[in-house]
Amino acid sequence: MEFIQQIVSESSLDTLCAWMDMYDEARYVAAMNSDEEELKAERAEVVKKWKLSD
């Protein structure tokens, strides 16, 4: 809970962006081996964006 309060109380936009990037990366890694449909769909969307940028 203390960890979440630290994030919520953050006022620096750069720090908040860094927290969100870490969150997104953690979700992507979790999705690699997950059976959860939401995570699998999210990972597929990220992979699709990467392929479009090539």
Side-chain angles (χ1 to χ4, degrees):
M1 194 63 171
E2 182 181 330
F3 176 70
I4 293 172
Q5 289 173 341
Q6 180 183 358
I7 295 170
V8 170
S9 67
E10 186 59 55
S11 59
S12 166
L13 182 58
D14 290 339
T15 303
L16 288 172
C17 287
W19 281 117
M20 292 306 297
D21 287 344
M22 287 189 286
Y23 171 79
D24 290 340
E25 290 170 9
R27 283 187 63 86
Y28 179 79
V29 170
M32 289 177 155
N33 296 315
S34 177
D35 291 332
E36 292 183 41
E37 292 301 320
E38 178 184 347
L39 288 177
K40 289 175 16 182
E42 193 172 310
R43 182 174 186 273
E45 185 68 29
V46 170
V47 170
K48 181 179 173 183
K49 287 178 185 176
W50 285 348
K51 288 181 179 180
L52 290 176
S53 68
D54 286 342

Short mmCIF file of all heavy atoms in Angstrom, two decimals:
data_model
loop_
_atom_site.label_atom_id
_atom_site.label_comp_id
_atom_site.label_asym_id
_atom_site.label_seq_id
_atom_site.Cartn_x
_atom_site.Cartn_y
_atom_site.Cartn_z
N MET A 1 0.83 -1.19 0.00
CA MET A 1 0.00 0.00 0.00
C MET A 1 0.87 1.26 0.00
O MET A 1 0.55 2.24 -0.66
CB MET A 1 -0.93 -0.05 1.21
CG MET A 1 -2.03 0.93 1.14
SD MET A 1 -3.05 0.54 -0.29
CE MET A 1 -4.37 1.60 -0.06
N GLU A 2 1.97 1.19 0.73
CA GLU A 2 2.87 2.34 0.79
C GLU A 2 3.43 2.66 -0.59
O GLU A 2 3.57 3.83 -0.97
CB GLU A 2 4.01 2.04 1.76
CG GLU A 2 4.99 3.19 1.93
CD GLU A 2 6.12 2.84 2.88
OE1 GLU A 2 5.91 2.03 3.80
OE2 GLU A 2 7.22 3.37 2.67
N PHE A 3 3.73 1.61 -1.35
CA PHE A 3 4.24 1.79 -2.72
C PHE A 3 3.25 2.54 -3.60
O PHE A 3 3.61 3.48 -4.30
CB PHE A 3 4.55 0.41 -3.30
CG PHE A 3 5.01 0.43 -4.72
CD1 PHE A 3 6.25 0.94 -5.05
CD2 PHE A 3 4.21 -0.08 -5.73
CE1 PHE A 3 6.70 0.95 -6.37
CE2 PHE A 3 4.64 -0.07 -7.05
CZ PHE A 3 5.88 0.44 -7.36
N ILE A 4 1.98 2.17 -3.52
CA ILE A 4 0.94 2.83 -4.32
C ILE A 4 0.76 4.27 -3.87
O ILE A 4 0.61 5.17 -4.70
CB ILE A 4 -0.38 2.04 -4.24
CG1 ILE A 4 -0.19 0.69 -4.94
CG2 ILE A 4 -1.53 2.82 -4.86
CD1 ILE A 4 -1.33 -0.26 -4.79
N GLN A 5 0.81 4.52 -2.58
CA GLN A 5 0.69 5.89 -2.08
C GLN A 5 1.84 6.76 -2.57
O GLN A 5 1.65 7.93 -2.89
CB GLN A 5 0.64 5.89 -0.55
CG GLN A 5 -0.65 5.35 0.00
CD GLN A 5 -0.62 5.20 1.51
OE1 GLN A 5 0.44 5.16 2.12
NE2 GLN A 5 -1.81 5.10 2.10
N GLN A 6 3.02 6.18 -2.67
CA GLN A 6 4.18 6.91 -3.18
C GLN A 6 3.95 7.33 -4.64
O GLN A 6 4.23 8.46 -5.02
CB GLN A 6 5.43 6.05 -3.08
CG GLN A 6 6.69 6.73 -3.58
CD GLN A 6 7.89 5.81 -3.53
OE1 GLN A 6 7.81 4.67 -3.08
NE2 GLN A 6 9.01 6.29 -4.00
N ILE A 7 3.42 6.43 -5.44
CA ILE A 7 3.15 6.74 -6.84
C ILE A 7 2.06 7.81 -6.96
O ILE A 7 2.20 8.77 -7.71
CB ILE A 7 2.72 5.47 -7.61
CG1 ILE A 7 3.89 4.48 -7.65
CG2 ILE A 7 2.27 5.81 -9.02
CD1 ILE A 7 3.52 3.12 -8.15
N VAL A 8 0.98 7.64 -6.20
CA VAL A 8 -0.14 8.58 -6.27
C VAL A 8 0.28 9.98 -5.83
O VAL A 8 -0.19 10.98 -6.38
CB VAL A 8 -1.31 8.06 -5.41
CG1 VAL A 8 -2.39 9.11 -5.26
CG2 VAL A 8 -1.88 6.79 -6.01
N SER A 9 1.20 10.08 -4.87
CA SER A 9 1.60 11.39 -4.37
C SER A 9 2.66 12.07 -5.24
O SER A 9 3.01 13.21 -5.01
CB SER A 9 2.13 11.26 -2.94
OG SER A 9 3.34 10.54 -2.92
N GLU A 10 3.15 11.38 -6.25
CA GLU A 10 4.20 11.93 -7.12
C GLU A 10 3.65 13.10 -7.93
O GLU A 10 2.57 13.05 -8.48
CB GLU A 10 4.72 10.84 -8.05
CG GLU A 10 5.89 11.24 -8.88
CD GLU A 10 7.08 11.68 -8.05
OE1 GLU A 10 7.53 10.91 -7.20
OE2 GLU A 10 7.55 12.80 -8.27
N SER A 11 4.42 14.18 -7.99
CA SER A 11 3.96 15.36 -8.73
C SER A 11 4.79 15.64 -9.97
O SER A 11 4.43 16.50 -10.77
CB SER A 11 3.98 16.59 -7.81
OG SER A 11 5.29 16.82 -7.34
N SER A 12 5.87 14.93 -10.19
CA SER A 12 6.71 15.13 -11.37
C SER A 12 6.16 14.33 -12.54
O SER A 12 5.99 13.11 -12.45
CB SER A 12 8.14 14.68 -11.07
OG SER A 12 8.87 14.57 -12.26
N LEU A 13 5.89 14.99 -13.64
CA LEU A 13 5.37 14.31 -14.82
C LEU A 13 6.36 13.29 -15.36
O LEU A 13 5.98 12.19 -15.76
CB LEU A 13 5.01 15.32 -15.90
CG LEU A 13 4.40 14.75 -17.18
CD1 LEU A 13 3.13 13.97 -16.87
CD2 LEU A 13 4.11 15.85 -18.17
N ASP A 14 7.64 13.62 -15.34
CA ASP A 14 8.65 12.68 -15.82
C ASP A 14 8.66 11.40 -14.98
O ASP A 14 8.76 10.29 -15.51
CB ASP A 14 10.05 13.31 -15.78
CG ASP A 14 10.22 14.39 -16.83
OD1 ASP A 14 9.47 14.39 -17.82
OD2 ASP A 14 11.12 15.23 -16.66
N THR A 15 8.54 11.55 -13.67
CA THR A 15 8.53 10.38 -12.79
C THR A 15 7.26 9.57 -13.01
O THR A 15 7.31 8.34 -13.07
CB THR A 15 8.64 10.81 -11.32
OG1 THR A 15 9.83 11.57 -11.15
CG2 THR A 15 8.66 9.61 -10.39
N LEU A 16 6.13 10.23 -13.18
CA LEU A 16 4.89 9.50 -13.44
C LEU A 16 4.96 8.74 -14.76
O LEU A 16 4.51 7.60 -14.84
CB LEU A 16 3.70 10.47 -13.44
CG LEU A 16 3.31 11.02 -12.08
CD1 LEU A 16 2.26 12.13 -12.25
CD2 LEU A 16 2.78 9.93 -11.18
N CYS A 17 5.55 9.35 -15.76
CA CYS A 17 5.73 8.67 -17.05
C CYS A 17 6.61 7.44 -16.90
O CYS A 17 6.34 6.39 -17.48
CB CYS A 17 6.31 9.62 -18.09
SG CYS A 17 5.14 10.86 -18.67
N ALA A 18 7.67 7.56 -16.11
CA ALA A 18 8.56 6.43 -15.86
C ALA A 18 7.81 5.30 -15.15
O ALA A 18 7.97 4.13 -15.49
CB ALA A 18 9.77 6.87 -15.05
N TRP A 19 6.98 5.64 -14.15
CA TRP A 19 6.18 4.63 -13.44
C TRP A 19 5.25 3.91 -14.43
O TRP A 19 5.12 2.70 -14.40
CB TRP A 19 5.34 5.26 -12.34
CG TRP A 19 6.06 5.58 -11.07
CD1 TRP A 19 6.24 6.82 -10.55
CD2 TRP A 19 6.67 4.67 -10.15
NE1 TRP A 19 6.94 6.74 -9.35
CE2 TRP A 19 7.22 5.43 -9.09
CE3 TRP A 19 6.82 3.29 -10.13
CZ2 TRP A 19 7.89 4.85 -8.03
CZ3 TRP A 19 7.50 2.72 -9.06
CH2 TRP A 19 8.01 3.49 -8.03
N MET A 20 4.60 4.67 -15.30
CA MET A 20 3.68 4.07 -16.25
C MET A 20 4.40 3.19 -17.26
O MET A 20 3.90 2.13 -17.65
CB MET A 20 2.85 5.15 -16.97
CG MET A 20 1.88 5.87 -16.06
SD MET A 20 0.77 4.77 -15.14
CE MET A 20 -0.14 4.01 -16.45
N ASP A 21 5.59 3.59 -17.68
CA ASP A 21 6.38 2.75 -18.59
C ASP A 21 6.74 1.43 -17.93
O ASP A 21 6.65 0.37 -18.56
CB ASP A 21 7.65 3.48 -19.03
CG ASP A 21 7.38 4.60 -20.02
OD1 ASP A 21 6.27 4.63 -20.60
OD2 ASP A 21 8.28 5.44 -20.20
N MET A 22 7.13 1.48 -16.65
CA MET A 22 7.46 0.26 -15.93
C MET A 22 6.22 -0.64 -15.80
O MET A 22 6.31 -1.86 -15.94
CB MET A 22 8.03 0.57 -14.55
CG MET A 22 9.45 1.10 -14.61
SD MET A 22 10.21 1.23 -12.98
CE MET A 22 9.38 2.66 -12.33
N TYR A 23 5.07 -0.02 -15.57
CA TYR A 23 3.82 -0.78 -15.45
C TYR A 23 3.51 -1.47 -16.79
O TYR A 23 3.20 -2.66 -16.81
CB TYR A 23 2.69 0.18 -15.07
CG TYR A 23 1.32 -0.44 -15.12
CD1 TYR A 23 0.85 -1.24 -14.10
CD2 TYR A 23 0.48 -0.20 -16.21
CE1 TYR A 23 -0.41 -1.80 -14.14
CE2 TYR A 23 -0.79 -0.76 -16.26
CZ TYR A 23 -1.23 -1.56 -15.23
OH TYR A 23 -2.47 -2.12 -15.29
N ASP A 24 3.64 -0.73 -17.87
CA ASP A 24 3.37 -1.30 -19.19
C ASP A 24 4.34 -2.44 -19.52
O ASP A 24 3.93 -3.47 -20.06
CB ASP A 24 3.47 -0.23 -20.28
CG ASP A 24 2.34 0.78 -20.22
OD1 ASP A 24 1.29 0.47 -19.61
OD2 ASP A 24 2.51 1.88 -20.77
N GLU A 25 5.61 -2.27 -19.17
CA GLU A 25 6.59 -3.32 -19.41
C GLU A 25 6.28 -4.57 -18.60
O GLU A 25 6.39 -5.69 -19.10
CB GLU A 25 7.99 -2.81 -19.09
CG GLU A 25 8.49 -1.78 -20.08
CD GLU A 25 9.78 -1.10 -19.64
OE1 GLU A 25 10.39 -1.54 -18.65
OE2 GLU A 25 10.16 -0.12 -20.29
N ALA A 26 5.88 -4.38 -17.35
CA ALA A 26 5.54 -5.52 -16.50
C ALA A 26 4.33 -6.27 -17.05
O ALA A 26 4.31 -7.50 -17.05
CB ALA A 26 5.28 -5.04 -15.07
N ARG A 27 3.34 -5.55 -17.53
CA ARG A 27 2.15 -6.19 -18.12
C ARG A 27 2.54 -6.97 -19.38
O ARG A 27 2.03 -8.05 -19.64
CB ARG A 27 1.06 -5.18 -18.43
CG ARG A 27 0.32 -4.73 -17.20
CD ARG A 27 -0.86 -3.86 -17.51
NE ARG A 27 -1.89 -4.52 -18.29
CZ ARG A 27 -2.88 -5.26 -17.79
NH1 ARG A 27 -2.97 -5.44 -16.51
NH2 ARG A 27 -3.78 -5.79 -18.57
N TYR A 28 3.43 -6.40 -20.19
CA TYR A 28 3.85 -7.07 -21.41
C TYR A 28 4.57 -8.39 -21.08
O TYR A 28 4.28 -9.42 -21.68
CB TYR A 28 4.77 -6.16 -22.24
CG TYR A 28 5.25 -6.81 -23.51
CD1 TYR A 28 4.43 -6.89 -24.63
CD2 TYR A 28 6.51 -7.39 -23.58
CE1 TYR A 28 4.86 -7.51 -25.78
CE2 TYR A 28 6.94 -8.02 -24.73
CZ TYR A 28 6.11 -8.07 -25.84
OH TYR A 28 6.54 -8.70 -26.98
N VAL A 29 5.48 -8.34 -20.11
CA VAL A 29 6.20 -9.56 -19.72
C VAL A 29 5.23 -10.59 -19.15
O VAL A 29 5.32 -11.77 -19.46
CB VAL A 29 7.33 -9.22 -18.72
CG1 VAL A 29 7.93 -10.47 -18.12
CG2 VAL A 29 8.39 -8.38 -19.40
N ALA A 30 4.30 -10.14 -18.32
CA ALA A 30 3.31 -11.06 -17.75
C ALA A 30 2.46 -11.69 -18.85
O ALA A 30 2.08 -12.86 -18.77
CB ALA A 30 2.41 -10.32 -16.76
N ALA A 31 2.20 -10.95 -19.90
CA ALA A 31 1.35 -11.44 -20.99
C ALA A 31 2.04 -12.51 -21.83
O ALA A 31 1.38 -13.29 -22.51
CB ALA A 31 0.93 -10.28 -21.88
N MET A 32 3.35 -12.56 -21.78
CA MET A 32 4.08 -13.52 -22.61
C MET A 32 3.68 -14.97 -22.32
O MET A 32 3.65 -15.79 -23.24
CB MET A 32 5.59 -13.35 -22.41
CG MET A 32 6.13 -12.10 -23.00
SD MET A 32 7.88 -11.97 -22.62
CE MET A 32 8.40 -10.92 -23.96
N ASN A 33 3.40 -15.28 -21.09
CA ASN A 33 3.06 -16.66 -20.71
C ASN A 33 1.69 -16.76 -20.07
O ASN A 33 1.40 -17.76 -19.42
CB ASN A 33 4.12 -17.21 -19.75
CG ASN A 33 5.47 -17.31 -20.41
OD1 ASN A 33 5.59 -17.76 -21.53
ND2 ASN A 33 6.50 -16.83 -19.73
N SER A 34 0.86 -15.77 -20.25
CA SER A 34 -0.43 -15.75 -19.57
C SER A 34 -1.52 -16.39 -20.42
O SER A 34 -1.49 -16.35 -21.64
CB SER A 34 -0.82 -14.30 -19.28
OG SER A 34 -2.09 -14.25 -18.69
N ASP A 35 -2.48 -16.97 -19.72
CA ASP A 35 -3.67 -17.50 -20.39
C ASP A 35 -4.84 -16.51 -20.32
O ASP A 35 -5.91 -16.79 -20.84
CB ASP A 35 -4.10 -18.82 -19.75
CG ASP A 35 -3.09 -19.93 -20.03
OD1 ASP A 35 -2.41 -19.86 -21.06
OD2 ASP A 35 -2.99 -20.85 -19.20
N GLU A 36 -4.61 -15.37 -19.66
CA GLU A 36 -5.67 -14.37 -19.53
C GLU A 36 -5.89 -13.67 -20.87
O GLU A 36 -4.97 -13.13 -21.47
CB GLU A 36 -5.30 -13.33 -18.47
CG GLU A 36 -5.26 -13.88 -17.07
CD GLU A 36 -4.96 -12.81 -16.04
OE1 GLU A 36 -5.49 -11.70 -16.18
OE2 GLU A 36 -4.19 -13.10 -15.12
N GLU A 37 -7.13 -13.67 -21.30
CA GLU A 37 -7.47 -13.09 -22.60
C GLU A 37 -7.10 -11.61 -22.70
O GLU A 37 -6.62 -11.15 -23.73
CB GLU A 37 -8.96 -13.29 -22.90
CG GLU A 37 -9.33 -14.73 -23.13
CD GLU A 37 -8.56 -15.37 -24.29
OE1 GLU A 37 -8.37 -14.71 -25.32
OE2 GLU A 37 -8.16 -16.53 -24.14
N GLU A 38 -7.33 -10.88 -21.62
CA GLU A 38 -7.03 -9.44 -21.63
C GLU A 38 -5.54 -9.19 -21.88
O GLU A 38 -5.17 -8.34 -22.70
CB GLU A 38 -7.43 -8.80 -20.30
CG GLU A 38 -7.12 -7.32 -20.23
CD GLU A 38 -7.43 -6.72 -18.87
OE1 GLU A 38 -8.10 -7.36 -18.05
OE2 GLU A 38 -6.99 -5.59 -18.63
N LEU A 39 -4.69 -9.93 -21.19
CA LEU A 39 -3.25 -9.76 -21.36
C LEU A 39 -2.79 -10.23 -22.74
O LEU A 39 -1.94 -9.60 -23.37
CB LEU A 39 -2.48 -10.51 -20.27
CG LEU A 39 -2.55 -9.91 -18.87
CD1 LEU A 39 -1.81 -10.81 -17.88
CD2 LEU A 39 -1.97 -8.51 -18.84
N LYS A 40 -3.35 -11.33 -23.23
CA LYS A 40 -2.98 -11.82 -24.55
C LYS A 40 -3.37 -10.81 -25.63
O LYS A 40 -2.61 -10.57 -26.56
CB LYS A 40 -3.64 -13.17 -24.82
CG LYS A 40 -3.01 -14.26 -23.99
CD LYS A 40 -3.60 -15.64 -24.05
CE LYS A 40 -4.53 -16.07 -25.08
NZ LYS A 40 -5.04 -17.43 -24.95
N ALA A 41 -4.53 -10.21 -25.50
CA ALA A 41 -4.98 -9.21 -26.47
C ALA A 41 -4.10 -7.97 -26.41
O ALA A 41 -3.75 -7.38 -27.44
CB ALA A 41 -6.44 -8.84 -26.21
N GLU A 42 -3.73 -7.58 -25.21
CA GLU A 42 -2.87 -6.40 -25.04
C GLU A 42 -1.50 -6.64 -25.67
O GLU A 42 -0.96 -5.78 -26.36
CB GLU A 42 -2.72 -6.12 -23.54
CG GLU A 42 -2.13 -4.78 -23.24
CD GLU A 42 -2.18 -4.48 -21.74
OE1 GLU A 42 -3.26 -4.63 -21.14
OE2 GLU A 42 -1.13 -4.12 -21.20
N ARG A 43 -0.93 -7.83 -25.46
CA ARG A 43 0.38 -8.17 -26.04
C ARG A 43 0.28 -8.20 -27.56
O ARG A 43 1.16 -7.70 -28.27
CB ARG A 43 0.87 -9.50 -25.52
CG ARG A 43 2.24 -9.84 -26.07
CD ARG A 43 2.79 -11.11 -25.43
NE ARG A 43 4.14 -11.34 -25.86
CZ ARG A 43 4.48 -12.02 -26.98
NH1 ARG A 43 3.54 -12.50 -27.76
NH2 ARG A 43 5.74 -12.19 -27.29
N ALA A 44 -0.79 -8.78 -28.09
CA ALA A 44 -0.97 -8.83 -29.54
C ALA A 44 -1.03 -7.43 -30.13
O ALA A 44 -0.47 -7.18 -31.21
CB ALA A 44 -2.24 -9.61 -29.88
N GLU A 45 -1.66 -6.50 -29.44
CA GLU A 45 -1.74 -5.12 -29.90
C GLU A 45 -0.35 -4.47 -29.94
O GLU A 45 -0.01 -3.78 -30.89
CB GLU A 45 -2.67 -4.32 -28.99
CG GLU A 45 -2.93 -2.91 -29.43
CD GLU A 45 -3.73 -2.81 -30.72
OE1 GLU A 45 -4.54 -3.72 -30.99
OE2 GLU A 45 -3.55 -1.82 -31.45
N VAL A 46 0.45 -4.72 -28.91
CA VAL A 46 1.81 -4.16 -28.87
C VAL A 46 2.65 -4.73 -30.00
O VAL A 46 3.34 -4.00 -30.71
CB VAL A 46 2.47 -4.45 -27.50
CG1 VAL A 46 3.95 -4.09 -27.52
CG2 VAL A 46 1.77 -3.67 -26.39
N VAL A 47 2.58 -6.04 -30.20
CA VAL A 47 3.35 -6.68 -31.27
C VAL A 47 2.91 -6.13 -32.63
O VAL A 47 3.74 -5.86 -33.50
CB VAL A 47 3.20 -8.22 -31.20
CG1 VAL A 47 3.78 -8.89 -32.43
CG2 VAL A 47 3.84 -8.75 -29.94
N LYS A 48 1.62 -5.93 -32.81
CA LYS A 48 1.10 -5.38 -34.06
C LYS A 48 1.67 -3.99 -34.31
O LYS A 48 2.08 -3.67 -35.43
CB LYS A 48 -0.43 -5.32 -33.99
CG LYS A 48 -1.09 -4.81 -35.23
CD LYS A 48 -2.61 -4.81 -35.04
CE LYS A 48 -3.31 -4.15 -36.20
NZ LYS A 48 -4.76 -4.09 -35.98
N LYS A 49 1.73 -3.16 -33.28
CA LYS A 49 2.28 -1.81 -33.43
C LYS A 49 3.75 -1.87 -33.80
O LYS A 49 4.22 -1.08 -34.62
CB LYS A 49 2.11 -1.01 -32.13
CG LYS A 49 0.69 -0.59 -31.88
CD LYS A 49 0.57 0.16 -30.58
CE LYS A 49 -0.86 0.50 -30.25
NZ LYS A 49 -1.00 1.15 -28.94
N TRP A 50 4.49 -2.80 -33.18
CA TRP A 50 5.92 -2.95 -33.51
C TRP A 50 6.10 -3.33 -34.97
O TRP A 50 6.98 -2.82 -35.65
CB TRP A 50 6.58 -3.98 -32.63
CG TRP A 50 6.83 -3.53 -31.23
CD1 TRP A 50 6.74 -2.27 -30.74
CD2 TRP A 50 7.22 -4.35 -30.14
NE1 TRP A 50 7.03 -2.25 -29.40
CE2 TRP A 50 7.34 -3.51 -29.01
CE3 TRP A 50 7.47 -5.70 -30.01
CZ2 TRP A 50 7.71 -3.98 -27.77
CZ3 TRP A 50 7.84 -6.17 -28.76
CH2 TRP A 50 7.95 -5.32 -27.66
N LYS A 51 5.27 -4.25 -35.47
CA LYS A 51 5.38 -4.72 -36.85
C LYS A 51 5.05 -3.60 -37.83
O LYS A 51 5.64 -3.52 -38.90
CB LYS A 51 4.49 -5.92 -37.08
CG LYS A 51 5.02 -7.18 -36.41
CD LYS A 51 4.15 -8.37 -36.66
CE LYS A 51 4.74 -9.60 -35.98
NZ LYS A 51 3.93 -10.79 -36.21
N LEU A 52 4.11 -2.74 -37.46
CA LEU A 52 3.75 -1.62 -38.33
C LEU A 52 4.86 -0.58 -38.41
O LEU A 52 4.97 0.12 -39.41
CB LEU A 52 2.46 -0.96 -37.84
CG LEU A 52 1.18 -1.76 -38.01
CD1 LEU A 52 0.00 -1.02 -37.37
CD2 LEU A 52 0.90 -2.05 -39.47
N SER A 53 5.67 -0.49 -37.37
CA SER A 53 6.72 0.52 -37.35
C SER A 53 7.98 0.06 -38.09
O SER A 53 8.90 0.84 -38.27
CB SER A 53 7.08 0.92 -35.91
OG SER A 53 7.69 -0.16 -35.25
N ASP A 54 8.05 -1.21 -38.48
CA ASP A 54 9.23 -1.72 -39.20
C ASP A 54 9.27 -1.26 -40.62
O ASP A 54 8.47 -0.87 -41.30
CB ASP A 54 9.26 -3.25 -39.19
CG ASP A 54 9.64 -3.77 -37.81
OD1 ASP A 54 10.20 -2.99 -37.03
OD2 ASP A 54 9.37 -4.95 -37.56
#
